Amino acid sequence: MTISTFFRHLREGAKSVFRNGWMSVASITSIIVSLLILGVFILLVLNVNSFVDEADSQVQIKAYLNSNVTEAVRNQLSNEIGSMAEVSRVTLIPKAQGLKDFREKLGEQGKDLLEGYDETTNPIPDTFQVEVVEPTTIPFVANKIQALNDKYDGDPIYKVNYGQGTVEKLFKITRLIRNIGFAFVAGLGLMAMFLISNTIRVTILARRREIGIMKLVGATNRFIRWPFFVEGALIGLIGSLITVAILYISYNQLVQSVKADITLAFRLVPVSEIGLEIGGLLVGLGLLIGIWGSTMSIRKFLKV
């Protein structure tokens, strides 16, 4: 294909978008509506996953030490736990700090319960607070920490707690939520592809006579196909760009509104973190659907 022929195809494809008027508008509108539904659901899934990830990350392991543990053993335990590949951070909470935190947590109701306790009578032990890289490894890491007792006399760690039973259920629920979200996004994506391609197919059906005439006067399949290829790509591009603009403006306003409302306990994922990825995905999908719809629709009319 020569450069002049290539630019001729681009001009003809662009002219066809405007020449077909309402048919092009119908195709672009179909793309906007379909991608808008898909984009809204993708944003919903991303925010739900963000909330789920935050809930997962708040799950921590607490290793309670026996009262007779020496400082040397305590430091060695801290180093061994911190060196585990699955662990991201280990924080020692001294018993005095633990008692203070417990009092603050109980508030006014706990004053009478904790009255009389001081550093010598403090029932709360020194505690290692352990954070992991991947929340789903928490049960495994907890068992590794508990197994450290085998290396020491007197079992310096008397208990490891991470909310056994509840944590496993939490991880199952969050995994189910993610899988359902991805399944819905995939289903909506396929639905959008078929809906938009069928609309583009109707546009090309209305021009089947034009295609037949071009074939009869000797035009090759490639020569006929390229303008339709360009037309489908432009329709997909225009529709997807309008969709991205609508989603960007609307979602950004929603994020700012939620951010300004201090009574809400959750925050939406900022546009700066997901805008580029979602925009690129929708534009790419719009182009793909436009090209695919026009290519598949014109194929049957080239057999004249």
Side-chain angles (χ1 to χ4, degrees), residues 211-219 304:
I211 298 170
I213 293 173
M214 293 177 69
K215 282 287 292 182
L216 291 174
V217 298
V304 177

Side-chain angles (χ1 to χ4, degrees), residues 95-114:
K95 56 192 306 182
Q97 182 64 42
L99 181 62
K100 180 181 178 182
D101 293 342
F102 193 42
R103 279 178 173 153
E104 292 178 354
K105 184 177 180 180
L106 292 178
E108 294 294 328
Q109 297 177 352
K111 282 186 176 181
D112 295 335
L113 180 63
L114 298 176

Side-chain angles (χ1 to χ4, degrees), residues 60-171:
Q60 298 174 335
I61 301 171
K62 290 191 176 182
Y64 301 102
L65 305 182
N66 282 311
S67 58
N68 59 353
V69 174
T70 63
E71 183 177 355
V73 172
R74 188 176 62 195
N75 291 338
Q76 189 172 350
L77 281 170
S78 177
N79 292 332
E80 289 192 68
I81 296 173
S83 64
M84 294 178 182
E86 302 85 0
V87 173
S88 60
R89 185 168 66 175
V90 180
T91 305
L92 173 66
I93 303 178
K95 56 192 306 182
Q97 182 64 42
L99 181 62
K100 180 181 178 182
D101 293 342
F102 193 42
R103 279 178 173 153
E104 292 178 354
K105 184 177 180 180
L106 292 178
E108 294 294 328
Q109 297 177 352
K111 282 186 176 181
D112 295 335
L113 180 63
L114 298 176
E115 187 177 359
Y117 286 107
D118 55 24
E119 293 186 3
T120 58
T121 59
N122 183 0
I124 298 177
D126 291 335
T127 306
F128 285 128
Q129 185 172 283
V130 183
E131 299 176 23
V132 298
V133 178
E134 175 56 48
T136 55
T137 64
I138 281 179
F140 173 71
V141 175
N143 290 332
K144 286 180 67 174
I145 295 173
Q146 188 69 60
L148 291 175
N149 276 335
D150 298 337
K151 301 174 62 175
Y152 298 91
D153 294 330
D155 291 344
I157 301 173
Y158 85 87
K159 185 179 181 182
V160 177
N161 182 36
Y162 63 91
Q164 294 90 326
T166 303
V167 168
E168 285 83 357
K169 291 179 182 178
L170 173 64
F171 291 154

Side-chain angles (χ1 to χ4, degrees), residues 155-300:
D155 291 344
I157 301 173
Y158 85 87
K159 185 179 181 182
V160 177
N161 182 36
Y162 63 91
Q164 294 90 326
T166 303
V167 168
E168 285 83 357
K169 291 179 182 178
L170 173 64
F171 291 154
K172 286 182 180 179
I173 292 172
T174 55
R175 185 164 54 247
L176 178 63
I177 291 173
R178 290 191 183 96
N179 292 337
I180 291 175
F182 288 134
F184 268 103
V185 168
L188 283 173
L190 290 174
M191 184 187 73
M193 288 186 67
F194 284 105
L195 176 62
I196 296 169
S197 63
N198 284 334
T199 306
I200 295 174
R201 185 173 300 173
V202 171
T203 303
I204 294 177
L205 279 172
R207 299 162 61 192
R208 59 186 181 274
R209 186 175 179 182
E210 173 189 342
I211 298 170
I213 293 173
M214 293 177 69
K215 282 287 292 182
L216 291 174
V217 298
T220 64
N221 288 346
R222 179 181 298 178
F223 188 86
I224 298 172
R225 185 183 292 117
W226 264 98
F228 287 95
F229 180 87
V230 173
E231 182 181 351
L234 287 175
I235 288 174
L237 180 63
I238 294 170
S240 58
L241 287 176
I242 294 174
T243 303
V244 170
I246 294 172
L247 282 175
Y248 181 88
I249 295 172
S250 303
Y251 182 70
N252 189 52
Q253 290 181 345
L254 180 62
V255 170
Q256 297 304 321
S257 299
V258 171
K259 187 177 180 180
D261 192 341
I262 60 174
T263 62
L264 295 177
F266 65 92
R267 291 293 178 264
L268 298 177
V269 180
V271 175
S272 58
E273 294 183 14
I274 58 175
L276 186 61
E277 290 80 1
I278 293 182
L281 173 64
L282 294 179
V283 170
L285 189 58
L287 281 169
L288 175 64
I289 293 173
I291 294 171
W292 180 70
S294 61
T295 302
M296 296 300 294
S297 301
I298 196 176
R299 187 173 56 181
K300 62 184 289 188

